[in-house]
């Protein structure tokens, strides 16, 4: 139910190759929307005023989701799965609001979401000449240092008010372009409304990435500033109506990662190295977690959202592995690459970027396992390593710091480290011992890095000692270490801090090697590849997704599945028909209690041809009038191919309709204050 980058296609599917964008394909930047192309296809396209208003209402959430302002008082529409962690962290054994649902009757009841930040793009500026001039003729690690220094300066110089703004330089087309995104940020985000998890996750893994669907995957947050809801005059109008078949729709959000512009060597690396390791290790984590959750009802509750996320990701990675092992699919990718090579032959300044990329990929193969298992994975160690690195990096000039530790990034980093959130010790221990055992398995017991990670201890013993001994679960301890800087970190005897200090030098050395042997030559080669693509296909290109604001256009339309038409929509009443009484098709209690009140003919979920990927979760689905008629929360099984290509005949975005959400707010989980606010009549 979470939109993730993935691919699952059969050999018979013909999708648009990564040459020139066609049909409804494209995750377009707001400064390069193809209005002429859309007008030719639809007879209409939005003007600049429409685009500007929509951009100003679009929200990016920390943690990889999208959203939108839907009232003048900071009310934010997004998916339930985007706020599930916040809901879970505000739950207790006695009051599990993840299971029961949550409705704030007044703003005073709205609950803080730790680590969450809402961001709105206010400007996009091309800074390619500045960054490329800084790199100049430098190569290897020197090129990476020069690029990072230029990026850090641009981000710091253009966002001097770090309390309310954030600047981020984004690499597009693999280094062919650099854009400076300026954001208005809101660091206090609170939970307003969330349905029962069973309503949002109805159908569970069997229905995940499928349609028809019966999912209320919607929730509301609110942005605050100085303890009060923020004023957001630039917001989308709430329109609780049913969609119309064939009508134009727009998805505005922050797609996470696509790899449509990769070369065949890069695809081979994913198929042969990265994906098999990820799939194998994640499968084992799932098994360990299920075993642990069976030990008690409390562990069942505490581990449920983690398991849900793991199972969602596994479905994605299985699809990717199948696709990249399909000769027909990879044959289409090879044909697209051959076409670009032929069009680029003998073009001045382009040379042979494919060979240079192949060399970088080989270098990555040589270092990948060590980098992948350089540090263990759990929240407590993540805090420790971030504190250790921040203490060192903050003592350096801004231009010389590691990416992610520049002046522009520090406010959000501090918030993510110091915000209060519950820590579940058994989950922390399980994840740490799993990642350490996988490191020993892939590296070998005699590898120097294994010895550095484990010393004379077992993964289980080390994880138990560190998790039980650390004080980093206490946000006050984390804040004190952050405030104390390098001196506090050097003096700390906290076992997790001591452990992070012991691993940091090796991890940094691996990163330095990666910068010199992989990142720098790969970026230079992909910049020339971008030049080749622009020369061959003009401005019909769009960059791979980078979790920055994009807009896609499409329409409400079903598809044919094995010769049978799939309808565009489902209805609330279908939930009762689909329910079996057994998980994951057990009826949400509030649905059962209010069955007689519910309008069973209200449109529940619907599908569109919009081109989306992971990160678009929570994106508003907008009509021509600029009103929101739904929130994107998933794709059908074919849309998982969006990682590598788009097929307009089969790829579909799955949307929860505003009509269903309105019905829920009025009759299933009554929230009269929220209903009034969405109508523009705050109580």
């Amino acid at each position: 139910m979470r939109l993730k980058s993935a691919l699952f296609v059969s050999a018979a599917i013909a999708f648009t190759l990564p040459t020139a964008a066609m049909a409804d394909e494209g995750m377009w930047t707001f400064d390069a929307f193809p209005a002429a192309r859309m007008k030719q296809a639809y007879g209409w396209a939005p003007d600049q005023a429409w685009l500007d208003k929509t951009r100003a209402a679009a929200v990016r959430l920390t943690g990889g989701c999208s959203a939108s302002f839907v009232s003048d008082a900071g009310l934010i529409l997004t998916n339930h799965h985007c706020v599930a962690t916040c809901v879970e962290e505000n739950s207790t054994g006695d009051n599990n609001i993840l299971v029961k649902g949550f409705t704030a009757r007044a703003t005073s009841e709205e609950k803080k979401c730790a680590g969450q930040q809402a961001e709105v793009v206010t400007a996009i500026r091309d800074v390619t000449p500045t960054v490329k001039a800084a790199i100049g003729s430098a190569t290897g690690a020197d090129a990476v240092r020069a690029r990072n220094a230029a990026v850090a300066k641009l981000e710091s110089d253009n966002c001097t008010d770090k309390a309310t703004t954030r600047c981020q330089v984004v690499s597009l087309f693999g280094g062919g372009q650099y854009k400076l995104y300026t954001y208005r940020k809101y660091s206090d985000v609170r939970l307003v409304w969330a349905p029962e998890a069973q309503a949002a996750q109805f159908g569970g893994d069997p229905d995940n990435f499928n349609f028809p669907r019966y999912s209320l995957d919607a929730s509301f947050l609110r942005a605050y500033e100085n303890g009060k809801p923020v004023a957001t005059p630039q917001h989308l109008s709430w329109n609780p109506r049913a969609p119309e078949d064939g009508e134009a729709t727009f998805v505005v959000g922050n797609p996470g990662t696509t790899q449509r512009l990769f070369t065949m060597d890069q695809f081979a690396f994913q198929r042969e190295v990265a994906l098999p390791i990820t799939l194998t290790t994640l499968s084992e984590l799932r098994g360990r977690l299920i075993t642990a959750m069976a030990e008690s009802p409390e562990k069942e509750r505490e581990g449920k959202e983690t398991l849900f996320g793991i199972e969602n990701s596994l479905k994605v990675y299985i699809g990717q592995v199948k696709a990249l092992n399909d000769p027909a699919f990879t044959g289409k990718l090879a044909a697209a690459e051959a076409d670009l090579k032929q069009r680029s032959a003998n073009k001045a300044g382009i040379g042979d970027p494919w060979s240079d990329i192949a060399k970088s990929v080989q270098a990555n193969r040589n270092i990948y396992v060590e980098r992948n298992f350089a540090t263990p994975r759990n929240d407590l160690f993540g805090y420790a390593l971030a504190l250790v690195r921040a203490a060192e990096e903050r003592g350096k000039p801004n231009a010389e710091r590691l990416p992610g530790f520049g002046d522009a990034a520090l406010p959000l980093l501090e918030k993510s480290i110091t915000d209060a959130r519950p820590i579940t010790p058994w989950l922390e221990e399980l994840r740490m011992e799993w990642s350490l055992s996988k490191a020993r398995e892939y590296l070998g017991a005699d590898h120097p890095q294994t010895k550095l990670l484990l010393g004379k201890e077992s993964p289980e013993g080390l994880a138990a000692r560190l998790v039980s001994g650390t004080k980093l679960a206490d946000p006050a301890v984390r804040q004190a270490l952050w405030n104390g800087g390098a001196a506090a970190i050097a003096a700390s005897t906290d076992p997790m801090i001591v452990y992070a200090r012991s691993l940091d030098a090796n991890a940094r050395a691996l990163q330095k090697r990666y910068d010199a042997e992989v990142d720098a030559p790969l970026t230079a080669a992909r910049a020339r590849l971008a030049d080749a693509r622009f020369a061959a296909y003009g401005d019909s290109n769009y960059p791979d997704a980078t979790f920055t604001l994009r807009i896609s256009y499409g329409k409400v339309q079903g598809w044919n599945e094995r010769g049978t038409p799939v309808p565009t929509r489902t209805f609330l009443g279908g939930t009762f028909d689909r329910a079996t009484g057994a998980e994951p098709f057990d009826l949400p209690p509030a649905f059962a209690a209010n069955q007689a009140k519910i309008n069973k003919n209200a449109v529940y979920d619907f599908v569109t041809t919009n081109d989306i990927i992971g990160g678009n979760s929570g994106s508003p689905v907008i009509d021509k009038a600029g009103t929101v008629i739904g929130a994107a929360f998933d794709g059908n099984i074919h849309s998982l191919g969006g990682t590598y290509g788009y097929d307009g005949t089969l790829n579909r975005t799955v949307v929860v309709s505003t009509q269903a959400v309105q019905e829920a707010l009025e009759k299933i989980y009554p929230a009269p204050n929220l209903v009034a606010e969405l109508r523009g009549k705050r109580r």
Side-chain angles (χ1 to χ4, degrees):
M1 295 183 183
R2 292 171 168 88
L3 290 171
K4 295 286 185 180
S5 303
L7 176 63
F8 185 79
V9 293
S10 70
I13 292 175
F15 58 90
T16 303
L17 294 170
T19 53
M22 300 171 63
D24 294 343
E25 177 188 354
M27 304 173 193
W28 302 91
T29 58
F30 264 75
D31 56 345
F33 181 76
R37 197 188 81 168
M38 183 184 177
K39 189 170 185 179
Q40 183 178 14
Y42 283 79
W44 178 88
D47 59 17
Q48 192 59 49
W50 190 102
L51 292 169
D52 289 345
K53 180 180 179 181
T54 303
R55 175 192 52 74
V59 175
R60 183 172 74 170
L61 296 175
T62 304
C65 279
S66 300
S68 58
F69 284 122
V70 288
S71 87
D72 61 2
L75 189 66
I76 297 170
L77 170 68
T78 189
N79 289 155
H80 180 277
H81 75 252
C82 292
V83 306
T85 298
C86 174
V87 180
E88 183 179 48
E89 290 176 349
N90 279 287
S91 294
T92 65
D94 296 330
N95 185 28
N96 190 343
I97 62 173
L98 185 65
V99 172
K100 295 164 52 178
F102 173 76
T103 300
R105 305 297 174 184
T107 54
S108 59
E109 295 181 5
E110 295 173 359
K111 298 180 179 293
K112 287 195 174 185
C113 292
Q116 188 56 264
Q117 181 165 288
E119 300 173 339
V120 177
V121 173
T122 57
I124 305 171
R125 181 159 64 91
D126 191 343
V127 292
T128 305
T130 301
V131 178
K132 287 192 171 182
I135 297 172
S137 60
T139 59
D142 290 339
V144 173
R145 279 193 294 271
R147 180 194 67 199
N148 292 348
V151 166
K153 180 173 173 55
L154 284 164
E155 292 176 343
S156 182
D157 289 353
N158 286 277
C159 280
T160 54
D161 178 9
K162 294 179 177 55
T164 62
T165 61
R166 179 187 179 190
C167 283
Q168 184 179 25
V169 174
V170 179
S171 171
L172 302 175
F173 297 102
Q177 287 182 354
Y178 293 89
K179 299 285 183 74
L180 173 65
Y181 282 72
T182 304
Y183 295 90
R184 176 65 164 89
K185 69 177 185 180
Y186 304 96
S187 298
D188 183 354
V189 178
R190 304 185 192 183
L191 179 67
V192 177
W193 178 86
E196 299 157 293
Q198 181 52 24
Q201 300 170 8
F202 185 78
D205 190 58
D207 271 3
N208 197 13
F209 297 119
N210 284 300
F211 195 82
R213 291 289 287 279
Y214 301 86
S215 170
L216 191 61
D217 199 349
S219 288
F220 290 97
L221 301 169
R222 193 183 305 279
Y224 279 71
E225 203 162 51
N226 300 319
K228 298 179 180 180
V230 299
T232 48
Q234 294 294 326
H235 64 272
L236 298 175
S237 296
W238 180 258
N239 194 349
R241 69 168 177 88
E244 298 177 10
D245 286 359
E247 73 168 301
T249 53
F250 300 84
V251 172
V252 176
N254 301 273
T257 302
T258 55
Q259 299 169 350
R260 299 179 183 182
L261 305 183
F262 271 21
T263 67
M264 294 306 294
D265 288 288
Q266 290 174 296
F267 289 130
F269 175 82
Q270 295 298 313
R271 180 180 66 247
E272 299 165 8
V273 181
L275 284 171
I277 291 176
T278 300
L279 186 57
T280 302
T281 56
L282 201 59
S283 296
E284 182 172 321
L285 178 59
R286 175 181 180 269
R288 290 183 181 220
L289 181 56
I290 289 173
T291 300
M293 288 170 63
E295 294 174 1
S296 70
E298 187 68 2
K299 285 189 174 182
E300 173 73 18
R301 178 187 71 83
E302 293 171 334
K304 190 168 185 178
E305 277 304 303
T306 300
L307 178 62
F308 180 48
I310 291 170
E311 290 183 333
N312 182 83
S313 297
L314 278 172
K315 200 164 190 176
V316 169
Y317 295 130
I318 290 168
Q320 289 182 331
V321 168
K322 286 182 178 179
L324 291 183
N325 280 300
D326 180 351
F329 173 73
T330 54
K332 294 181 176 71
L333 296 175
E337 181 168 290
D339 180 69
L340 182 57
K341 284 183 176 180
Q342 188 276 324
R343 291 171 182 260
S344 306
N346 303 317
K347 293 288 179 67
I350 292 175
D352 184 10
W354 292 273
S355 293
D356 293 338
I357 289 173
K359 294 174 184 175
S360 296
V361 170
Q362 183 56 52
N364 200 16
R365 286 174 180 265
N366 296 337
I367 198 175
Y368 180 79
V369 171
E370 289 177 74
R371 287 189 71 235
N372 192 56
F373 295 105
T375 56
R377 301 168 195 171
N378 70 354
D379 290 344
L380 289 171
F381 181 82
Y383 285 141
L385 187 61
L387 285 163
V388 167
R389 289 190 167 176
E392 180 172 343
E393 297 303 312
R394 287 157 66 197
K396 299 176 182 178
N398 187 49
E400 297 177 14
R401 297 178 194 169
L402 289 174
F405 292 90
D407 288 340
L410 286 179
L412 182 55
L413 178 63
E414 180 181 4
K415 175 180 173 59
S416 67
I417 291 173
T418 60
D419 270 9
R421 64 193 322 162
I423 292 290
T424 307
W426 71 266
L427 261 177
E428 292 293 295
E429 194 172 320
L430 182 147
R431 290 168 59 201
M432 192 171 205
E433 65 185 34
W434 157 76
S435 59
L436 289 169
S437 69
K438 293 295 98 181
R440 182 175 62 185
E441 177 182 325
Y442 278 88
L443 293 166
D446 295 323
H447 193 285
Q449 187 166 299
T450 304
K451 294 179 179 179
L452 177 65
L453 286 165
L454 292 173
K456 298 289 187 180
E457 296 180 86
S458 68
E460 296 76 16
L462 178 59
R465 177 174 68 81
L466 294 177
V467 170
S468 64
T470 186
K471 303 297 184 184
L472 293 183
D474 184 346
V477 172
R478 301 195 299 268
Q479 185 71 67
L481 287 167
W482 176 274
N483 294 342
I489 293 297
S492 176
T493 59
D494 186 284
M496 199 70 78
I497 293 290
V498 173
Y499 187 58
R501 289 199 309 250
S502 73
L503 301 185
D504 189 34
N506 178 66
R508 285 174 180 268
L510 288 169
Q511 184 62 45
K512 185 176 181 180
R513 183 180 166 192
Y514 177 85
D515 290 346
E517 299 175 12
V518 181
D519 187 10
L522 183 62
T523 299
R526 293 195 70 196
R528 287 185 285 121
L529 196 61
D531 292 339
R533 187 168 280 108
F534 280 119
Y537 309 118
D539 61 0
S540 60
N541 283 268
Y542 56 91
D544 267 325
T546 53
F547 195 50
T548 48
L549 189 62
R550 305 291 178 90
I551 178 170
S552 73
Y553 65 85
K555 57 181 172 289
V556 179
Q557 180 177 293
W559 76 100
N560 288 322
E561 189 73 41
R562 303 183 187 94
T564 301
V566 177
T568 58
R569 65 196 66 201
T570 60
F571 301 92
L572 273 170
T575 310
F576 301 95
D577 298 331
R578 196 171 183 81
T580 65
E583 192 176 349
F585 295 100
D586 47 328
L587 200 62
F591 274 62
N594 295 287
Q595 183 172 354
K597 302 176 184 177
I598 296 171
N599 175 11
K600 295 181 175 62
N601 293 319
V603 172
Y604 203 169
D605 299 329
F606 64 96
V607 292
T608 74
T609 63
N610 292 89
D611 189 4
I612 64 167
I613 201 70
N616 275 121
S617 286
S619 296
V621 178
I622 305 168
D623 62 11
K624 286 174 61 175
T627 66
V628 59
I629 61 171
F633 71 91
D634 207 355
N636 65 355
I637 200 72
H638 308 293
S639 73
L640 296 178
T643 303
Y644 307 116
Y646 172 81
D647 177 9
T649 64
L650 291 169
N651 288 18
R652 294 295 180 269
T653 293
V654 182
V655 186
V656 58
S657 79
T658 49
Q659 189 176 52
V661 176
Q662 183 83 14
E663 190 73 8
L665 293 173
E666 292 180 353
K667 301 173 185 176
I668 308 175
Y669 310 97
N673 288 353
L674 198 51
V675 170
E677 182 174 354
L678 289 168
R679 290 175 176 163
K681 300 176 181 179
R682 294 197 75 205
R683 290 185 170 186

